[in-house]
Amino acid sequence: MVQGVATFTGPEIDATARLYRKVTWRLIPFLFACYVAAYLDRVNVGFAKLQMLNDLKFTETVYGLGAGIFFLGYFLFEVPSNMILHKVGAHLWIARVMLSWAIISAAMMFVTTPTMFYVLRFFLGVAEAGLFPGVILYLTYWYPAERRGAIIGMFMTGIPIAGLIGGPLSGWIMNNMAGLHGLAGWQWMFLIEALPSVVMGFMVIAYLDDGIDKAKWLTAEEKSILARNVASDNASATGHRFRDGFTSPWVWLLSGIYFFFIMGLYGVSFWLPTFIRAAGVSDPLTIGVLTTLPYGAAAVAMIVVGRMSDVAHERRWHIVVPGLIGALGWLVSIQFTTNLVVAEIALTIATMGVLVTLAQFWCLPTAVLAGAAAATGIAVINSVGNLAGFVSPYLIGWIIDRTQSTSLGVYTLAACLAVGSLLALTMPKRLVNR
């Protein structure tokens, strides 16, 4: 337990809890909204696919490569982006990130060839590279490790909520705006769903504080308490310098673990609509509505498990158990592809397992790294891990083209999720159970 927090007793504990609630209400809903906008722009290509492939005569392999090439740009620019954020501050850099990706995401409406598709997806990855690792780093400026399970879980519910909102919204746009002013439904979808990122980008400049010392909405005493807790927590980390984020063996182990988890994540993000269609649903709006159950259940599970993890001061098994349950959900879904009810339940379990595991994973690197090492280490882990975002959609697309079946692709997702979960047990509990 963090020393600065452990010394509080009685009324002081209540006062500290109220202070963290104040910080959470100030930061998390806003960062959550930014992440929803980001994730919507990243994965709406999964819905565009339902019309786009036929309109442009793209194969599944072309789609898979275009969906995945996003992560090559993401990989190349993530570490520099986090280092810049650590130097210049969160509000300016995150605003830059959001505005640039909004422009590129809207430009996806002009795609006519595979090359244009690949180029825009690559530069979308370049533009968005700094948001997620930047926010994870930013949260370490405010919260000690023992409070991050629930906080990261709440922030990362942006993934399922983007699916919850984006599914019906994307389906409605593609159904009802197709042909308007000569544009296809998928073109309208890219344009309309980029607009929230533009609005949020300008709001970041005015709303977000770079750190505790810059927060005018905190008193001097509140700043002192928060700063003391973070400083005490950072003293327990194994790395603090920029180079520690590159040289620590834990960083590279965590990168490998995260790679397997991301394989499972983008199976959900890019292929869930396809899997639901394989169960016998053809209408885009209905498919969009059916994606809300897996994402809604996952959002609740992420918050509940995050709080359980914080209370228990246990991280590893809160990763392993959901991961294995999620893998089982994938396996069951493929056995009942023609039974919509059973397939939907199994896909819901798989989605819950994938997203809970991902949220809890980020308690591990933020417990091991602090300060400048966290800036580089978090970015390294996220960038290396997200290479799976390139491998996963391309590999599954290739498998579907070759086998004319989704089965082998789903088995691959299940295996990756199980392997990543079991590898999490290799992290020493003395380092991460805080």
Side-chain angles (χ1 to χ4, degrees):
M1 186 175 291
V2 180
Q3 294 176 359
V5 176
T7 55
F8 292 133
T9 58
E12 293 180 62
I13 293 177
D14 294 335
T16 302
R18 285 194 298 271
L19 173 57
Y20 277 108
R21 280 196 295 271
K22 178 179 178 178
V23 172
T24 298
W25 277 109
R26 170 77 185 192
L27 298 181
I28 299 304
F30 183 76
L31 294 172
F32 163 85
C34 291
Y35 197 41
V36 169
Y39 209 78
L40 190 61
D41 285 343
R42 183 188 302 185
V43 303
N44 56 11
V45 70
F47 279 94
K49 171 181 182 287
L50 301 175
Q51 294 178 350
M52 190 179 185
L53 265 64
N54 184 61
D55 289 354
L56 302 180
K57 311 305 179 188
F58 288 177
T59 66
E60 294 282 355
T61 304
V62 168
Y63 165 74
L65 179 57
I69 207 167
F70 168 98
F71 295 97
L72 295 184
Y74 198 84
F75 169 79
L76 293 172
F77 285 86
E78 204 160 354
V79 172
S81 181
N82 242 29
M83 293 174 71
I84 293 171
L85 184 149
H86 192 63
K87 293 284 189 181
V88 307
H91 78 291
L92 289 176
W93 193 247
I94 290 177
R96 192 286 305 164
V97 168
M98 296 195 71
L99 292 171
S100 59
W101 94 55
I103 293 169
I104 296 170
S105 183
M108 288 286 295
M109 67 185 289
F110 299 113
V111 166
T112 57
T113 67
T115 299
M116 291 177 66
F117 184 43
Y118 301 152
V119 169
L120 284 174
R121 286 291 295 177
F122 175 82
F123 282 106
L124 185 64
V126 171
E128 198 190 314
L131 183 75
F132 180 79
V135 171
I136 296 297
L137 172 64
Y138 183 68
L139 293 176
T140 69
Y141 299 165
W142 294 86
Y143 295 94
E146 68 170 18
R147 294 182 180 271
R148 290 182 199 142
I151 294 302
I152 293 175
M154 283 189 279
F155 166 64
M156 289 188 66
T157 55
I159 297 176
I161 296 302
L164 200 63
I165 297 169
L169 176 63
S170 298
W172 184 89
I173 293 170
M174 290 168 65
N175 256 15
N176 291 278
M177 299 189 71
L180 185 63
H181 298 297
L183 297 176
W186 60 269
Q187 292 175 300
W188 279 112
M189 185 198 67
F190 280 126
L191 176 62
I192 292 170
E193 293 183 358
L195 297 178
S197 296
V198 175
V199 174
M200 295 301 298
F202 284 109
M203 289 180 65
V204 166
I205 297 173
Y207 186 86
L208 204 63
D209 300 294
D210 288 338
I212 294 169
D213 60 326
K214 300 289 182 63
K216 295 179 180 179
W217 44 275
L218 292 172
T219 67
E221 182 181 1
E222 288 172 335
K223 291 180 182 180
S224 177
I225 293 171
L226 293 172
R228 184 167 69 249
N229 286 349
V230 171
S232 178
D233 180 67
N234 286 347
S236 301
T238 61
H240 294 81
R241 300 166 297 179
F242 271 125
R243 70 179 185 181
D244 292 333
F246 295 102
T247 60
S248 170
W250 302 122
V251 167
W252 296 103
L253 173 60
L254 289 165
S255 297
I257 294 170
Y258 196 52
F259 181 93
F260 285 110
F261 290 160
I262 293 295
M263 288 287 290
L265 171 64
Y266 288 107
V268 173
S269 300
F270 291 131
W271 295 98
L272 185 58
T274 300
F275 295 153
I276 292 174
R277 185 169 63 181
V281 182
S282 58
D283 178 63
L285 179 57
T286 304
I287 291 173
V289 171
L290 288 174
T291 62
T292 63
L293 177 59
Y295 284 124
V300 174
M302 290 166 77
I303 294 172
V304 171
V305 175
R307 289 177 176 170
M308 291 170 58
S309 174
D310 281 351
V311 170
H313 297 289
E314 199 291 319
R315 305 303 185 188
R316 300 185 308 167
W317 286 105
H318 285 82
I319 294 172
V320 175
V321 174
L324 294 179
I325 291 174
L328 180 62
W330 280 125
L331 295 177
V332 172
S333 74
I334 207 60
Q335 300 301 318
F336 294 90
T337 52
T338 58
N339 186 322
L340 180 59
V341 174
V342 177
E344 180 77 0
I345 293 171
L347 287 170
T348 298
I349 293 171
T351 305
M352 290 169 65
V354 168
L355 293 177
V356 168
T357 299
L358 276 173
Q360 288 306 296
F361 168 83
W362 283 105
C363 295
L364 305 183
T366 57
V368 174
L369 303 167
T376 52
I378 289 170
V380 168
I381 292 164
N382 199 49
S383 60
V384 172
N386 268 289
L387 285 176
F390 172 77
V391 175
S392 179
Y394 180 69
L395 176 62
I396 294 174
W398 183 85
I399 289 171
I400 292 174
D401 276 341
R402 295 300 182 276
T403 65
Q404 301 303 307
S405 169
T406 58
S407 298
L408 186 57
V410 174
Y411 291 142
T412 302
L413 298 177
C416 288
L417 191 56
V419 169
S421 300
L422 294 174
L423 281 176
L425 289 175
T426 64
M427 291 294 297
K429 62 181 181 180
R430 62 180 174 79
L431 290 180
V432 299
N433 284 353
R434 293 197 278 141

